[in-house]
Amino acid sequence: MTQLDRLSVYHWLNAWCIKPVGGALVRQEPEYILLALMGSPLKKIMLCSSEKEIFSVEEQVMVQHSVIINNMIEDGSYNHEESKIPLDCVDSKTLKKVIDYCTHHTHHHNDNQEDLEAWDAQFLNVDSNGLYDLLMAANYLEIRNLLDLIYGTIKNMIKGKKIDEIRRIFNIKDHGFTPEEEEQNRKEYPHFY
Amino acid sequence: MKRKQLGMNDILPWELIDRIFLRVPAKDLFRLRFVSKLWHSLISDRHFAESHYNFHSASSRSLFLVKDYTNACCVPLDTLFDVAAAPPTFKEVSLPSRKMPYSLFCLLGSCRGFLLLEEKPANFLVIWNPLTGSSKTISYSHIASEIQPDDAFRYGFGFDASRDDYLIVLYWHDNYYNEDVYLECFSLRTNSWIDLDAALPKPLGRWKQRKRSDLFLHGAIHWLCCSSEDYIDDDILIFDLKERSFSKISIPKQLVGCYPIYLITVEGCLALYLDDKHKTEIWVMKEYKVSSSWILMYDIPYGNNVPICMSNGSDIIALNYTMRYSKLRFVKYNVIGELLNYSPLPLSEYYYFYRSSCVYTESLLPLPGDIKDRDKKNKTGQECFEQHDVAED
């Protein structure tokens, strides 16, 4: 058991307290709190992107947000001295952003709701393809609050828009309808387009 | 193909697109079917419609109001008394076309995005999904020809999940002085009337109040009825659609003998309200079918209210009709009965107030048997709502 000074304890209690993070409630079981108190607060883990780039990130940050990584650490398959977690579905650019999100939300979870929302909005100010990559990464890593955030953002991009605009925004070049079908649809529901 | 040229459909797996659609309101999804073939098949999928309805049923409810012979409007409940003080958003809706000119529609109930309308005096029932336009007309002239005063019938409308079927129940008495009460049930899936005589409790209760008061909750249809000689409402008759059996639960003792009382739901619980023009009492049965769990949740010193829904966890929103000025408005009361706010409805005329409003959730669900028929029907466009008239009974 490592030395625990008052600062470390404060740091841990701060990190593990029950607090809304990005709209999702992050709850910590008592065993985690105990485990946390026993370990070093700044323990890092290694994540490896599909491009074989290694990212070092605080364990508590990823464990708090990603169910997948949390499970890996919990079931002991991750050896802190040697292992890296390979994330073959996530490229470096996206992984960096995901780590960014998780880190910010862990360290700033005490901020007020407006500031967090503003940060989230800025964070998601990426092009469509970047958004899809983030969505797939968040889905793979099972990061609930990031998923909800992206779903909400895409939903708002869709709501209230007409069909031609949607095809433009989401770059849907081939809609798959036959020319006859498309013409028929346009005739029946002109105001949809 | 370069990455830049790829679109959402190429990059995201359909499971994720599905999950995005789950969060998009039903009215947008109806339009989005035409964006691409992939989107069409995802949205038209029956299981998707079911998950979408379940996702939204508690949170995205609207109030549907029949305005006159041909028009109705729909307002989402969460835009009433918006925090930002924006006026509620009303959407105009055209009612289905009538079988007979000059008949009018009364709104009888709603279930899973479908509304049950009655065309009077033509004696047709219409099940209608205002969003998709799909509808089915059911004639009950084989019953009605022998009768009747205007309010002779009581109705029930519900969904039997075990058989994926919608049931409509008609419940009537021959004439006011006659003890005999009759009940018939129509199944949409089999397109036929079901004989329930074996299951009927004897004697079947009668009712006293003029307004309809049926409720579909927990897979069963509920009605208020009285079973004693003095015609005082004192029981709730429950028809379980899966078991096709009847049972009864009692109303709170304090309400026995009071008039008029009506059934509603409050936050998913069975509730009763008493509206005697000077006050409104709302009693909620906190635990379903547990008679001792009735509590008086609201005691409001104003009358002419039809409670609609709760808001902010403790306030109650109602429709209020001031008879003296023929004014209809939304009102909000807090838990101790104080009037917090009100918002007038932009309706210039309003008929038969008590049978013309209903809370419902928009859905993309099809009628049983609709999916195979969909492509064969000739569609006639009518504003945003297509309409097919399936053969009547």
Side-chain angles (χ1 to χ4, degrees):
Chain A
M1 184 144 162
T2 54
Q3 294 274 12
L4 291 172
D5 57 3
R6 288 180 67 159
L7 193 62
S8 302
V9 172
Y10 169 79
H11 201 63
W12 273 111
L13 289 176
N14 212 34
W16 294 106
C17 73
I18 296 172
K19 196 73 167 89
V21 174
L25 201 64
V26 178
R27 248 202 278 252
Q28 302 304 329
E29 258 65 295
E31 306 88 79
Y32 277 124
I33 297 173
L34 196 63
L35 215 82
L37 287 171
M38 288 173 68
S40 156
L42 293 175
K43 194 187 291 182
K44 298 233 190 222
I45 55 173
M46 307 291 180
L47 302 178
C48 182
S49 76
S50 61
E51 291 151 324
K52 306 296 176 223
E53 201 179 325
I54 312 263
F55 292 85
S56 170
V57 60
E58 286 176 37
E59 176 182 314
Q60 52 147 321
V61 163
M62 290 318 293
V63 157
Q64 198 176 2
H65 285 92
S66 162
V67 174
I68 294 292
I69 293 183
N70 182 40
N71 291 347
M72 278 187 196
I73 307 276
E74 205 185 316
D75 71 16
S77 60
Y78 181 76
N79 179 332
H80 285 87
E81 307 308 320
E82 301 168 9
S83 320
K84 339 181 246 296
I85 298 181
L87 300 172
D88 294 326
C89 318
V90 189
D91 66 20
S92 296
K93 178 168 150 219
T94 310
L95 186 53
K96 183 163 190 315
K97 280 218 66 129
V98 168
I99 292 172
D100 218 2
Y101 176 87
C102 298
T103 311
H104 180 90
H105 274 267
T106 300
H107 293 162
H108 290 257
H109 70 258
N110 278 328
D111 286 7
N112 69 51
Q113 202 55 30
E114 280 166 19
D115 290 340
L116 282 175
E117 281 172 10
W119 190 91
D120 285 343
Q122 182 57 34
F123 174 78
L124 285 183
N125 193 9
V126 293
D127 67 351
S128 311
N129 289 355
L131 201 60
Y132 307 145
D133 290 335
L134 270 173
L135 178 58
M136 291 193 286
N139 183 47
Y140 177 68
L141 291 168
E142 288 183 45
I143 304 175
R144 183 80 261 150
N145 45 359
L146 181 56
L147 269 174
D148 286 341
L149 180 67
I150 300 178
Y151 284 142
T153 303
I154 299 183
K155 175 198 92 181
N156 289 335
M157 283 161 74
I158 290 179
K159 249 169 63 168
K161 303 263 185 356
K162 300 207 185 231
I163 293 177
D164 289 327
E165 208 182 331
I166 298 224
R167 286 177 177 165
R168 227 181 5 254
I169 295 175
F170 295 102
N171 210 14
I172 296 171
K173 294 215 159 72
D174 176 20
H175 50 67
F177 293 112
T178 67
E180 295 79 35
E181 283 172 335
E182 175 74 1
E183 194 188 322
Q184 168 76 355
N185 292 340
R186 278 186 189 265
K187 227 188 328 181
E188 252 187 87
Y189 305 103
H191 46 274
F192 281 177
Y193 292 80
Chain B
M1 210 200 262
K2 278 214 177 112
R3 192 108 198 294
K4 276 217 179 72
Q5 296 172 315
L6 296 176
M8 185 207 238
N9 289 356
D10 311 302
I11 300 177
L12 286 180
W14 67 263
E15 297 93 348
L16 289 185
I17 302 183
D18 222 31
R19 280 183 227 160
I20 295 169
F21 287 165
L22 206 63
R23 288 152 171 85
V24 174
K27 57 171 130 359
D28 284 288
L29 287 182
F30 185 67
R31 182 175 67 240
L32 297 179
R33 288 175 309 148
F34 302 115
V35 169
S36 87
K37 260 238 146 98
L38 172 70
W39 287 32
H40 194 286
S41 64
L42 288 176
I43 296 170
S44 308
D45 178 59
R46 170 59 205 275
H47 297 292
F48 172 76
E50 189 85 38
S51 326
H52 186 275
Y53 173 75
N54 292 330
F55 191 89
H56 288 265
S57 62
S59 54
S60 322
R61 293 178 306 162
S62 308
L63 184 72
F64 194 89
L65 287 157
V66 173
K67 285 164 63 171
D68 57 35
Y69 290 87
T70 49
N71 296 303
C73 68
C74 184
V75 52
L77 292 182
D78 55 16
T79 65
L80 296 174
F81 304 116
D82 191 349
V83 184
T89 47
F90 289 87
K91 179 173 86 169
E92 298 293 320
V93 178
S94 297
L95 291 170
S97 46
R98 292 162 289 163
K99 290 248 169 268
M100 283 171 49
Y102 311 120
S103 54
L104 43 86
F105 281 117
C106 287
L107 187 54
L108 301 179
S110 77
C111 180
R112 288 160 56 94
F114 288 97
L115 296 174
L116 181 68
L117 302 168
E118 182 192 17
E119 188 178 336
K120 292 190 86 68
N123 291 322
F124 285 106
L125 292 173
V126 181
I127 294 190
W128 176 54
N129 183 329
L131 183 64
T132 64
S134 69
S135 70
K136 185 174 174 80
T137 310
I138 299 145
S139 154
Y140 60 99
S141 49
H142 66 288
I143 301 168
S145 51
E146 297 140 25
I147 337 176
Q148 228 97 106
D150 201 35
D151 62 341
F153 287 96
R154 290 297 175 268
Y155 307 88
F157 178 37
F159 179 68
D160 176 1
S162 68
R163 297 177 183 85
D164 190 29
D165 192 9
Y166 292 87
L167 293 183
I168 301 174
V169 179
L170 263 77
Y171 174 1
W172 76 97
H173 52 92
D174 257 348
N175 63 65
Y176 196 76
Y177 304 101
N178 193 328
E179 282 297 325
D180 296 337
V181 182
Y182 303 92
L183 196 147
E184 284 214 30
C185 179
F186 184 82
S187 148
L188 235 69
R189 180 167 279 283
T190 63
N191 199 25
S192 61
W193 295 88
I194 301 173
D195 176 15
L196 287 174
D197 282 338
L200 290 181
K202 305 232 179 326
L204 196 57
R206 295 166 56 91
W207 55 84
K208 205 171 78 175
Q209 80 275 14
R210 294 176 58 82
K211 294 186 205 176
R212 68 155 183 93
S213 187
D214 73 275
L215 190 64
F216 176 66
L217 187 67
H218 300 312
I221 301 177
H222 304 68
W223 297 274
L224 277 171
C225 68
C226 49
S227 41
S228 59
E229 295 272 316
D230 43 10
Y231 304 121
I232 293 174
D233 289 323
D234 57 12
D235 277 335
I236 298 174
L237 180 67
I238 304 175
F239 175 47
D240 184 306
L241 297 186
K242 179 176 165 205
E243 307 298 328
R244 308 260 168 107
S245 65
F246 290 85
S247 57
K248 280 190 180 167
I249 48 177
S250 50
I251 65 175
K253 288 190 291 297
Q254 296 91 328
L255 286 180
V256 174
C258 293
Y259 173 84
I261 52 177
Y262 310 98
L263 281 169
I264 50 168
T265 46
V266 172
E267 295 292 289
C269 295
L270 191 67
L272 283 168
Y273 74 95
L274 163 72
D275 174 13
D276 67 359
K277 312 287 179 261
H278 304 293
K279 70 169 194 288
T280 310
E281 278 181 19
I282 304 178
W283 291 77
V284 179
M285 182 182 245
K286 284 289 191 182
E287 274 180 66
Y288 185 55
K289 289 197 180 175
V290 175
S291 295
S292 54
S293 70
W294 284 107
I295 58 163
L296 175 62
M297 257 181 95
Y298 297 91
D299 192 357
I300 298 165
Y302 305 96
N304 294 312
N305 290 308
V306 176
I308 303 171
C309 65
M310 275 178 73
S311 142
N312 304 330
S314 63
D315 301 332
I316 192 115
I317 295 180
L319 262 181
N320 179 276
Y321 183 57
T322 336
M323 305 193 75
R324 212 168 136 203
Y325 304 108
S326 288
K327 280 252 181 300
L328 192 68
R329 54 187 192 169
F330 290 113
V331 288
K332 183 151 91 152
Y333 301 105
N334 66 12
V335 72
I336 53 175
E338 291 171 332
L339 178 66
L340 295 177
N341 207 346
Y342 68 87
S343 149
L345 267 86
L347 299 175
S348 53
E349 60 196 88
Y350 202 73
Y351 83 92
Y352 211 10
F353 166 66
Y354 298 111
R355 259 167 137 187
S356 306
S357 70
C358 186
V359 174
Y360 97 118
T361 305
E362 285 182 321
S363 85
L364 297 156
L365 291 166
L367 286 168
D370 231 16
I371 300 193
K372 338 187 254 308
D373 296 344
R374 192 199 306 267
D375 299 316
K376 293 184 205 158
K377 291 275 168 287
N378 285 326
K379 297 182 179 121
T380 50
Q382 187 192 13
E383 255 228 312
C384 306
F385 302 99
E386 54 182 326
Q387 184 171 311
H388 356 252
D389 238 41
V390 183
E392 66 206 56
D393 172 57

